[in-house]
Amino acid sequence: MSSDSEKPAAAKPEEKAAPPKPAPKPAAKTEEKPVELPAFEKGISDKLVEKFGDKIEVDFVKEDRVGIKASKESVHDVAQFIRDDLHYDHAESVSGVDYPADNEIEVVYHLGSYTDSSLARQVLTLSTRAPRESSPIPGQDSTKLPSLRDVFYSVEFGEREVFEMLGVYFDGHPDNRRLLLPEDWADLPPLRKDFAIKGR
C-alpha cells in the first residue's frame, strides 16, 4: 500500500556532453640540415671520385675515416692511386666478411700512412667483393681477387689468412699457402657462416 507521504523520485539532471576537443595542431616540420662532411676527409674521397668515377662507391666520410668500395676489376688500380697519389703507404689490417645471402665474400683493407704526417690519424677503408662458391675448392674455384701484395707489402699475411679462413684466392700473391690451418684441411673455410663445428 502506498503512502500519500511518498514523493516521486527526483529526475536526474541531464548530463551535458563534453565539448569536442580541438584537433591537434600538426607538428611543425623541422627542416633537416644537410650533414656537413669534414673537409679534409671529403677532399680525399673527392679525389678518388674524380679519378675513378662510377668505378668506385664512397661508403662513408667522417672524421679520420673514409670508406671506399671498388669492384674486383678496379681494386688494384684504386689501391695504386691511394698509395702513389694520396700517400697511404701501408695496410694496417686485412679482413673478410661472408655474405651468403648475396653469394659474395667481402675483403676489407684498412690503409694508413707512416710517412705523411697529415694522414697520421686517418684510416682509409678499401673493400671489394669476390663471388662465393657454395661448395668451395679454394684456389680452384671462382672465389678469387687480385692480390694487393705488390702495392702494399704488409698485406702478405693478411691475404693468406683470408685465403684459408674464407677461401678467397689472391691472384698474384707470391705465397698463397695456408697460414694457420694444416695443409690437408678438407672442410669448409672455418670463418664462413655455414661452417659447423663438429661434436657440438
Short mmCIF file of all heavy atoms in Angstrom, two decimals, residues 39-101:
data_model
loop_
_atom_site.label_atom_id
_atom_site.label_comp_id
_atom_site.label_asym_id
_atom_site.label_seq_id
_atom_site.Cartn_x
_atom_site.Cartn_y
_atom_site.Cartn_z
N ALA A 39 86.01 18.48 -43.99
CA ALA A 39 86.60 18.96 -45.24
C ALA A 39 87.80 18.13 -45.69
O ALA A 39 87.93 17.80 -46.87
CB ALA A 39 87.00 20.43 -45.09
N PHE A 40 88.68 17.79 -44.77
CA PHE A 40 89.89 17.06 -45.16
C PHE A 40 89.53 15.69 -45.72
O PHE A 40 90.01 15.29 -46.79
CB PHE A 40 90.83 16.91 -43.95
CG PHE A 40 92.14 16.25 -44.29
CD1 PHE A 40 93.18 16.97 -44.83
CD2 PHE A 40 92.32 14.88 -44.07
CE1 PHE A 40 94.39 16.36 -45.14
CE2 PHE A 40 93.52 14.27 -44.38
CZ PHE A 40 94.56 15.01 -44.93
N GLU A 41 88.67 14.97 -45.01
CA GLU A 41 88.29 13.63 -45.45
C GLU A 41 87.47 13.67 -46.74
O GLU A 41 87.63 12.82 -47.61
CB GLU A 41 87.49 12.93 -44.34
CG GLU A 41 88.32 12.57 -43.11
CD GLU A 41 88.61 13.73 -42.18
OE1 GLU A 41 88.16 14.87 -42.47
OE2 GLU A 41 89.27 13.52 -41.14
N LYS A 42 86.61 14.70 -46.87
CA LYS A 42 85.84 14.83 -48.11
C LYS A 42 86.77 15.10 -49.28
O LYS A 42 86.55 14.64 -50.40
CB LYS A 42 84.81 15.95 -47.98
CG LYS A 42 83.87 16.04 -49.19
CD LYS A 42 82.80 17.08 -49.00
CE LYS A 42 81.82 17.07 -50.17
NZ LYS A 42 82.47 17.29 -51.47
N GLY A 43 87.85 15.84 -49.03
CA GLY A 43 88.82 16.10 -50.09
C GLY A 43 89.45 14.80 -50.60
O GLY A 43 89.68 14.65 -51.81
N ILE A 44 89.70 13.87 -49.69
CA ILE A 44 90.27 12.57 -50.08
C ILE A 44 89.28 11.80 -50.95
O ILE A 44 89.62 11.29 -52.02
CB ILE A 44 90.65 11.76 -48.83
CG1 ILE A 44 91.82 12.43 -48.10
CG2 ILE A 44 91.00 10.32 -49.20
CD1 ILE A 44 92.12 11.85 -46.73
N SER A 45 88.02 11.73 -50.49
CA SER A 45 87.02 10.98 -51.27
C SER A 45 86.76 11.65 -52.61
O SER A 45 86.56 10.97 -53.63
CB SER A 45 85.72 10.84 -50.47
OG SER A 45 85.09 12.08 -50.28
N ASP A 46 86.79 12.98 -52.66
CA ASP A 46 86.56 13.70 -53.93
C ASP A 46 87.65 13.37 -54.95
O ASP A 46 87.37 13.24 -56.15
CB ASP A 46 86.51 15.21 -53.69
CG ASP A 46 85.22 15.65 -53.01
OD1 ASP A 46 84.27 14.83 -52.92
OD2 ASP A 46 85.15 16.81 -52.56
N LYS A 47 88.89 13.25 -54.49
CA LYS A 47 89.99 12.92 -55.41
C LYS A 47 89.78 11.53 -56.02
O LYS A 47 90.04 11.30 -57.20
CB LYS A 47 91.33 12.99 -54.68
CG LYS A 47 91.78 14.40 -54.36
CD LYS A 47 93.06 14.40 -53.52
CE LYS A 47 93.44 15.81 -53.10
NZ LYS A 47 94.60 15.84 -52.19
N LEU A 48 89.30 10.61 -55.19
CA LEU A 48 89.05 9.25 -55.69
C LEU A 48 87.90 9.23 -56.69
O LEU A 48 87.97 8.56 -57.73
CB LEU A 48 88.77 8.31 -54.52
CG LEU A 48 90.02 7.89 -53.75
CD1 LEU A 48 89.68 7.47 -52.33
CD2 LEU A 48 90.74 6.76 -54.48
N VAL A 49 86.84 9.97 -56.39
CA VAL A 49 85.69 10.03 -57.31
C VAL A 49 86.10 10.71 -58.61
O VAL A 49 85.70 10.27 -59.70
CB VAL A 49 84.51 10.77 -56.64
CG1 VAL A 49 83.41 11.05 -57.65
CG2 VAL A 49 83.97 9.96 -55.47
N GLU A 50 86.90 11.77 -58.51
CA GLU A 50 87.36 12.46 -59.72
C GLU A 50 88.19 11.54 -60.60
O GLU A 50 88.08 11.58 -61.83
CB GLU A 50 88.19 13.69 -59.30
CG GLU A 50 88.67 14.53 -60.47
CD GLU A 50 89.51 15.72 -60.02
OE1 GLU A 50 89.49 16.05 -58.81
OE2 GLU A 50 90.19 16.30 -60.88
N LYS A 51 88.98 10.67 -60.00
CA LYS A 51 89.84 9.77 -60.76
C LYS A 51 89.08 8.57 -61.31
O LYS A 51 89.26 8.19 -62.47
CB LYS A 51 90.98 9.29 -59.84
CG LYS A 51 91.89 8.23 -60.45
CD LYS A 51 92.75 8.80 -61.56
CE LYS A 51 93.73 7.75 -62.07
NZ LYS A 51 94.53 8.25 -63.21
N PHE A 52 88.20 7.97 -60.51
CA PHE A 52 87.60 6.68 -60.90
C PHE A 52 86.11 6.74 -61.20
O PHE A 52 85.57 5.76 -61.72
CB PHE A 52 87.87 5.64 -59.80
CG PHE A 52 89.32 5.32 -59.64
CD1 PHE A 52 90.06 5.87 -58.61
CD2 PHE A 52 89.97 4.48 -60.53
CE1 PHE A 52 91.42 5.59 -58.46
CE2 PHE A 52 91.32 4.18 -60.40
CZ PHE A 52 92.05 4.74 -59.36
N GLY A 53 85.46 7.83 -60.88
CA GLY A 53 84.04 7.97 -61.23
C GLY A 53 83.18 6.85 -60.68
O GLY A 53 83.26 6.51 -59.50
N ASP A 54 82.37 6.24 -61.56
CA ASP A 54 81.44 5.20 -61.10
C ASP A 54 82.09 3.83 -60.92
O ASP A 54 81.41 2.86 -60.65
CB ASP A 54 80.23 5.09 -62.04
CG ASP A 54 80.65 4.75 -63.48
OD1 ASP A 54 81.85 4.52 -63.73
OD2 ASP A 54 79.76 4.74 -64.35
N LYS A 55 83.42 3.76 -61.05
CA LYS A 55 84.11 2.50 -60.77
C LYS A 55 84.23 2.25 -59.27
O LYS A 55 84.58 1.15 -58.85
CB LYS A 55 85.51 2.49 -61.40
CG LYS A 55 85.50 2.44 -62.91
CD LYS A 55 86.91 2.39 -63.45
CE LYS A 55 86.92 2.33 -64.97
NZ LYS A 55 88.30 2.33 -65.51
N ILE A 56 83.99 3.31 -58.48
CA ILE A 56 84.04 3.18 -57.02
C ILE A 56 82.75 3.72 -56.42
O ILE A 56 81.98 4.42 -57.09
CB ILE A 56 85.25 3.92 -56.41
CG1 ILE A 56 85.11 5.43 -56.63
CG2 ILE A 56 86.56 3.38 -56.95
CD1 ILE A 56 86.03 6.25 -55.77
N GLU A 57 82.55 3.41 -55.16
CA GLU A 57 81.43 3.96 -54.41
C GLU A 57 81.97 4.46 -53.07
O GLU A 57 82.71 3.73 -52.40
CB GLU A 57 80.37 2.88 -54.16
CG GLU A 57 79.22 3.32 -53.30
CD GLU A 57 78.31 2.16 -52.90
OE1 GLU A 57 78.35 1.10 -53.56
OE2 GLU A 57 77.58 2.32 -51.90
N VAL A 58 81.64 5.69 -52.72
CA VAL A 58 82.04 6.22 -51.42
C VAL A 58 81.07 5.67 -50.38
O VAL A 58 79.88 5.95 -50.42
CB VAL A 58 82.03 7.76 -51.42
CG1 VAL A 58 82.41 8.28 -50.03
CG2 VAL A 58 82.99 8.31 -52.47
N ASP A 59 81.60 4.86 -49.48
CA ASP A 59 80.77 4.19 -48.48
C ASP A 59 80.46 5.11 -47.31
O ASP A 59 79.34 5.19 -46.81
CB ASP A 59 81.48 2.92 -48.01
CG ASP A 59 80.59 2.03 -47.18
OD1 ASP A 59 79.36 2.12 -47.31
OD2 ASP A 59 81.13 1.21 -46.39
N PHE A 60 81.47 5.84 -46.83
CA PHE A 60 81.27 6.79 -45.75
C PHE A 60 82.42 7.79 -45.73
O PHE A 60 83.52 7.51 -46.22
CB PHE A 60 81.15 6.10 -44.38
CG PHE A 60 82.32 5.23 -44.02
CD1 PHE A 60 83.47 5.77 -43.45
CD2 PHE A 60 82.29 3.86 -44.26
CE1 PHE A 60 84.56 4.97 -43.12
CE2 PHE A 60 83.37 3.04 -43.94
CZ PHE A 60 84.51 3.60 -43.36
N VAL A 61 82.12 8.97 -45.19
CA VAL A 61 83.13 10.01 -44.95
C VAL A 61 82.84 10.58 -43.57
O VAL A 61 81.76 11.13 -43.33
CB VAL A 61 83.05 11.13 -46.01
CG1 VAL A 61 84.04 12.24 -45.67
CG2 VAL A 61 83.33 10.59 -47.41
N LYS A 62 83.77 10.43 -42.65
CA LYS A 62 83.62 11.00 -41.31
C LYS A 62 85.00 11.35 -40.77
O LYS A 62 86.01 11.09 -41.45
CB LYS A 62 82.86 10.04 -40.38
CG LYS A 62 83.39 8.63 -40.34
CD LYS A 62 82.42 7.73 -39.59
CE LYS A 62 82.89 6.30 -39.60
NZ LYS A 62 81.94 5.40 -38.92
N GLU A 63 85.02 11.91 -39.61
CA GLU A 63 86.30 12.38 -39.07
C GLU A 63 87.31 11.24 -38.97
O GLU A 63 87.04 10.20 -38.38
CB GLU A 63 86.09 13.00 -37.69
CG GLU A 63 87.33 13.67 -37.15
CD GLU A 63 87.09 14.38 -35.83
OE1 GLU A 63 85.93 14.40 -35.36
OE2 GLU A 63 88.07 14.89 -35.27
N ASP A 64 88.45 11.43 -39.62
CA ASP A 64 89.58 10.48 -39.62
C ASP A 64 89.29 9.19 -40.37
O ASP A 64 90.11 8.27 -40.33
CB ASP A 64 90.01 10.13 -38.18
CG ASP A 64 90.49 11.34 -37.41
OD1 ASP A 64 90.97 12.30 -38.05
OD2 ASP A 64 90.36 11.34 -36.17
N ARG A 65 88.15 9.08 -41.05
CA ARG A 65 87.79 7.83 -41.72
C ARG A 65 87.14 8.10 -43.08
O ARG A 65 86.26 8.95 -43.19
CB ARG A 65 86.82 7.00 -40.87
CG ARG A 65 87.33 6.58 -39.51
CD ARG A 65 88.42 5.52 -39.62
NE ARG A 65 88.88 5.06 -38.32
CZ ARG A 65 89.85 5.61 -37.63
NH1 ARG A 65 90.46 6.69 -38.08
NH2 ARG A 65 90.23 5.10 -36.47
N VAL A 66 87.59 7.35 -44.08
CA VAL A 66 86.95 7.36 -45.40
C VAL A 66 86.78 5.91 -45.83
O VAL A 66 87.70 5.10 -45.67
CB VAL A 66 87.82 8.12 -46.44
CG1 VAL A 66 87.19 8.04 -47.83
CG2 VAL A 66 87.99 9.58 -46.03
N GLY A 67 85.61 5.56 -46.33
CA GLY A 67 85.35 4.20 -46.80
C GLY A 67 85.07 4.19 -48.29
O GLY A 67 84.23 4.95 -48.78
N ILE A 68 85.77 3.33 -49.02
CA ILE A 68 85.63 3.24 -50.47
C ILE A 68 85.37 1.79 -50.86
O ILE A 68 86.08 0.88 -50.40
CB ILE A 68 86.91 3.73 -51.19
CG1 ILE A 68 87.22 5.19 -50.82
CG2 ILE A 68 86.80 3.56 -52.70
CD1 ILE A 68 86.21 6.19 -51.29
N LYS A 69 84.37 1.57 -51.71
CA LYS A 69 84.11 0.24 -52.26
C LYS A 69 84.53 0.25 -53.73
O LYS A 69 84.22 1.20 -54.46
CB LYS A 69 82.62 -0.11 -52.15
CG LYS A 69 82.12 -0.29 -50.72
CD LYS A 69 80.63 -0.61 -50.71
CE LYS A 69 80.11 -0.81 -49.30
NZ LYS A 69 80.58 -2.03 -48.67
N ALA A 70 85.22 -0.82 -54.15
CA ALA A 70 85.66 -0.92 -55.53
C ALA A 70 85.35 -2.31 -56.06
O ALA A 70 85.32 -3.28 -55.29
CB ALA A 70 87.17 -0.64 -55.63
N SER A 71 85.13 -2.41 -57.35
CA SER A 71 84.91 -3.73 -57.95
C SER A 71 86.22 -4.50 -57.96
O SER A 71 87.30 -3.91 -57.85
CB SER A 71 84.38 -3.57 -59.38
OG SER A 71 85.40 -3.02 -60.20
N LYS A 72 86.12 -5.81 -58.11
CA LYS A 72 87.36 -6.61 -58.12
C LYS A 72 88.21 -6.29 -59.35
O LYS A 72 89.43 -6.46 -59.33
CB LYS A 72 87.04 -8.10 -58.04
CG LYS A 72 86.34 -8.68 -59.24
CD LYS A 72 86.21 -10.19 -59.09
CE LYS A 72 85.66 -10.84 -60.33
NZ LYS A 72 85.69 -12.30 -60.26
N GLU A 73 87.57 -5.79 -60.42
CA GLU A 73 88.33 -5.43 -61.62
C GLU A 73 89.13 -4.15 -61.43
O GLU A 73 90.16 -3.96 -62.09
CB GLU A 73 87.37 -5.27 -62.82
CG GLU A 73 86.70 -6.55 -63.28
CD GLU A 73 85.51 -6.97 -62.42
OE1 GLU A 73 84.99 -6.12 -61.65
OE2 GLU A 73 85.11 -8.15 -62.51
N SER A 74 88.67 -3.26 -60.56
CA SER A 74 89.34 -1.97 -60.42
C SER A 74 90.10 -1.79 -59.11
O SER A 74 90.81 -0.81 -58.93
CB SER A 74 88.32 -0.83 -60.57
OG SER A 74 87.30 -0.93 -59.60
N VAL A 75 89.96 -2.75 -58.16
CA VAL A 75 90.53 -2.54 -56.83
C VAL A 75 92.04 -2.36 -56.86
O VAL A 75 92.60 -1.56 -56.09
CB VAL A 75 90.12 -3.67 -55.86
CG1 VAL A 75 90.76 -5.00 -56.26
CG2 VAL A 75 90.45 -3.31 -54.42
N HIS A 76 92.73 -3.05 -57.76
CA HIS A 76 94.19 -2.93 -57.82
C HIS A 76 94.60 -1.53 -58.26
O HIS A 76 95.51 -0.91 -57.68
CB HIS A 76 94.77 -3.99 -58.75
CG HIS A 76 96.26 -4.13 -58.65
ND1 HIS A 76 97.14 -3.35 -59.38
CD2 HIS A 76 97.04 -4.94 -57.88
CE1 HIS A 76 98.39 -3.69 -59.09
NE2 HIS A 76 98.36 -4.65 -58.17
N ASP A 77 93.94 -0.99 -59.30
CA ASP A 77 94.24 0.37 -59.77
C ASP A 77 93.92 1.41 -58.69
O ASP A 77 94.65 2.38 -58.51
CB ASP A 77 93.45 0.68 -61.04
CG ASP A 77 93.92 -0.12 -62.24
OD1 ASP A 77 95.07 -0.63 -62.21
OD2 ASP A 77 93.15 -0.25 -63.20
N VAL A 78 92.80 1.20 -57.99
CA VAL A 78 92.42 2.12 -56.93
C VAL A 78 93.47 2.11 -55.82
O VAL A 78 93.88 3.16 -55.31
CB VAL A 78 91.02 1.77 -56.36
CG1 VAL A 78 90.69 2.63 -55.16
CG2 VAL A 78 89.95 1.94 -57.44
N ALA A 79 93.94 0.92 -55.45
CA ALA A 79 94.97 0.80 -54.41
C ALA A 79 96.26 1.51 -54.82
O ALA A 79 96.90 2.19 -53.99
CB ALA A 79 95.24 -0.67 -54.11
N GLN A 80 96.66 1.37 -56.08
CA GLN A 80 97.88 2.06 -56.54
C GLN A 80 97.73 3.57 -56.46
O GLN A 80 98.66 4.28 -56.05
CB GLN A 80 98.20 1.64 -57.97
CG GLN A 80 98.81 0.25 -58.07
CD GLN A 80 99.27 -0.06 -59.49
OE1 GLN A 80 98.52 0.12 -60.44
NE2 GLN A 80 100.49 -0.54 -59.62
N PHE A 81 96.56 4.08 -56.82
CA PHE A 81 96.32 5.53 -56.74
C PHE A 81 96.36 5.98 -55.28
O PHE A 81 96.91 7.04 -54.96
CB PHE A 81 94.96 5.86 -57.38
CG PHE A 81 94.60 7.31 -57.34
CD1 PHE A 81 95.14 8.20 -58.26
CD2 PHE A 81 93.73 7.80 -56.37
CE1 PHE A 81 94.82 9.56 -58.22
CE2 PHE A 81 93.40 9.15 -56.32
CZ PHE A 81 93.94 10.03 -57.25
N ILE A 82 95.75 5.19 -54.40
CA ILE A 82 95.75 5.54 -52.97
C ILE A 82 97.18 5.62 -52.44
O ILE A 82 97.52 6.51 -51.65
CB ILE A 82 94.91 4.52 -52.19
CG1 ILE A 82 93.42 4.70 -52.51
CG2 ILE A 82 95.14 4.63 -50.69
CD1 ILE A 82 92.53 3.60 -51.97
N ARG A 83 98.02 4.71 -52.89
CA ARG A 83 99.42 4.73 -52.45
C ARG A 83 100.21 5.88 -53.08
O ARG A 83 100.88 6.65 -52.39
CB ARG A 83 100.10 3.40 -52.79
CG ARG A 83 101.57 3.32 -52.37
CD ARG A 83 102.27 2.15 -53.03
NE ARG A 83 102.36 2.33 -54.47
CZ ARG A 83 102.79 1.40 -55.33
NH1 ARG A 83 103.16 0.21 -54.87
NH2 ARG A 83 102.83 1.64 -56.63
N ASP A 84 100.15 6.00 -54.41
CA ASP A 84 101.03 6.92 -55.13
C ASP A 84 100.56 8.37 -55.07
O ASP A 84 101.39 9.29 -54.99
CB ASP A 84 101.14 6.49 -56.60
CG ASP A 84 101.77 5.11 -56.75
OD1 ASP A 84 102.43 4.67 -55.80
OD2 ASP A 84 101.56 4.48 -57.81
N ASP A 85 99.25 8.61 -55.10
CA ASP A 85 98.74 9.98 -55.17
C ASP A 85 98.19 10.49 -53.84
O ASP A 85 98.22 11.70 -53.59
CB ASP A 85 97.65 10.09 -56.24
CG ASP A 85 98.21 9.92 -57.65
OD1 ASP A 85 98.66 8.81 -57.99
OD2 ASP A 85 98.21 10.90 -58.40
N LEU A 86 97.69 9.59 -53.02
CA LEU A 86 97.13 10.01 -51.74
C LEU A 86 98.07 9.74 -50.57
O LEU A 86 97.80 10.14 -49.45
CB LEU A 86 95.77 9.33 -51.50
CG LEU A 86 94.70 9.61 -52.56
CD1 LEU A 86 93.39 8.93 -52.17
CD2 LEU A 86 94.48 11.10 -52.76
N HIS A 87 99.14 8.99 -50.82
CA HIS A 87 100.24 8.79 -49.86
C HIS A 87 99.91 7.90 -48.67
O HIS A 87 100.56 7.99 -47.63
CB HIS A 87 100.79 10.15 -49.37
CG HIS A 87 101.06 11.10 -50.49
ND1 HIS A 87 101.97 10.83 -51.49
CD2 HIS A 87 100.51 12.32 -50.79
CE1 HIS A 87 101.98 11.82 -52.36
NE2 HIS A 87 101.11 12.74 -51.97
N TYR A 88 98.95 7.02 -48.82
CA TYR A 88 98.76 5.95 -47.83
C TYR A 88 99.79 4.88 -48.19
O TYR A 88 99.84 4.41 -49.32
CB TYR A 88 97.35 5.37 -47.91
CG TYR A 88 96.28 6.30 -47.39
CD1 TYR A 88 95.76 7.31 -48.19
CD2 TYR A 88 95.78 6.15 -46.10
CE1 TYR A 88 94.77 8.16 -47.72
CE2 TYR A 88 94.79 7.00 -45.62
CZ TYR A 88 94.29 8.00 -46.43
OH TYR A 88 93.31 8.84 -45.95
N ASP A 89 100.63 4.50 -47.21
CA ASP A 89 101.78 3.68 -47.58
C ASP A 89 101.76 2.25 -47.02
O ASP A 89 102.69 1.48 -47.28
CB ASP A 89 103.09 4.37 -47.16
CG ASP A 89 103.12 4.73 -45.68
OD1 ASP A 89 102.45 4.04 -44.87
OD2 ASP A 89 103.82 5.71 -45.32
N HIS A 90 100.72 1.89 -46.26
CA HIS A 90 100.71 0.52 -45.73
C HIS A 90 99.27 0.11 -45.40
O HIS A 90 98.39 0.94 -45.22
CB HIS A 90 101.59 0.40 -44.49
CG HIS A 90 101.01 1.10 -43.30
ND1 HIS A 90 101.09 2.47 -43.13
CD2 HIS A 90 100.35 0.63 -42.21
CE1 HIS A 90 100.50 2.82 -42.00
NE2 HIS A 90 100.03 1.72 -41.41
N ALA A 91 99.08 -1.21 -45.33
CA ALA A 91 97.80 -1.76 -44.87
C ALA A 91 97.94 -2.10 -43.40
O ALA A 91 98.85 -2.84 -43.00
CB ALA A 91 97.44 -3.00 -45.67
N GLU A 92 97.04 -1.57 -42.59
CA GLU A 92 97.07 -1.87 -41.16
C GLU A 92 96.44 -3.22 -40.87
O GLU A 92 96.82 -3.89 -39.91
CB GLU A 92 96.34 -0.76 -40.41
CG GLU A 92 97.03 0.59 -40.56
CD GLU A 92 96.34 1.71 -39.79
OE1 GLU A 92 95.28 1.45 -39.19
OE2 GLU A 92 96.87 2.83 -39.80
N SER A 93 95.47 -3.63 -41.69
CA SER A 93 94.86 -4.94 -41.50
C SER A 93 94.14 -5.36 -42.77
O SER A 93 93.84 -4.53 -43.64
CB SER A 93 93.86 -4.93 -40.33
OG SER A 93 92.74 -4.11 -40.65
N VAL A 94 93.90 -6.66 -42.87
CA VAL A 94 93.10 -7.23 -43.95
C VAL A 94 92.09 -8.16 -43.28
O VAL A 94 92.46 -8.99 -42.45
CB VAL A 94 93.96 -8.04 -44.95
CG1 VAL A 94 93.10 -8.51 -46.12
CG2 VAL A 94 95.15 -7.24 -45.43
N SER A 95 90.83 -8.00 -43.62
CA SER A 95 89.81 -8.87 -43.02
C SER A 95 88.79 -9.26 -44.08
O SER A 95 88.78 -8.72 -45.19
CB SER A 95 89.12 -8.17 -41.84
OG SER A 95 88.55 -6.94 -42.26
N GLY A 96 87.95 -10.22 -43.73
CA GLY A 96 86.94 -10.69 -44.68
C GLY A 96 85.59 -10.84 -44.01
O GLY A 96 85.51 -11.05 -42.79
N VAL A 97 84.53 -10.70 -44.80
CA VAL A 97 83.16 -10.84 -44.31
C VAL A 97 82.40 -11.73 -45.28
O VAL A 97 82.43 -11.50 -46.49
CB VAL A 97 82.45 -9.47 -44.20
CG1 VAL A 97 81.09 -9.64 -43.53
CG2 VAL A 97 83.29 -8.46 -43.44
N ASP A 98 81.73 -12.73 -44.73
CA ASP A 98 80.97 -13.67 -45.54
C ASP A 98 79.53 -13.18 -45.68
O ASP A 98 78.86 -12.90 -44.68
CB ASP A 98 81.01 -15.06 -44.88
CG ASP A 98 80.36 -16.13 -45.73
OD1 ASP A 98 80.17 -15.90 -46.95
OD2 ASP A 98 80.04 -17.21 -45.19
N TYR A 99 79.05 -13.07 -46.92
CA TYR A 99 77.67 -12.68 -47.20
C TYR A 99 76.98 -13.78 -48.01
O TYR A 99 76.82 -13.66 -49.23
CB TYR A 99 77.62 -11.36 -47.96
CG TYR A 99 78.05 -10.16 -47.16
CD1 TYR A 99 79.33 -9.62 -47.30
CD2 TYR A 99 77.19 -9.56 -46.24
CE1 TYR A 99 79.72 -8.51 -46.56
CE2 TYR A 99 77.58 -8.45 -45.50
CZ TYR A 99 78.85 -7.93 -45.67
OH TYR A 99 79.25 -6.84 -44.92
N PRO A 100 76.57 -14.88 -47.35
CA PRO A 100 75.98 -15.98 -48.11
C PRO A 100 74.69 -15.60 -48.84
O PRO A 100 74.41 -16.12 -49.93
CB PRO A 100 75.71 -17.06 -47.04
CG PRO A 100 75.83 -16.37 -45.73
CD PRO A 100 76.69 -15.18 -45.93
N ALA A 101 73.90 -14.67 -48.29
CA ALA A 101 72.65 -14.27 -48.96
C ALA A 101 72.94 -13.56 -50.28
O ALA A 101 72.14 -13.61 -51.21
CB ALA A 101 71.84 -13.36 -48.04
#
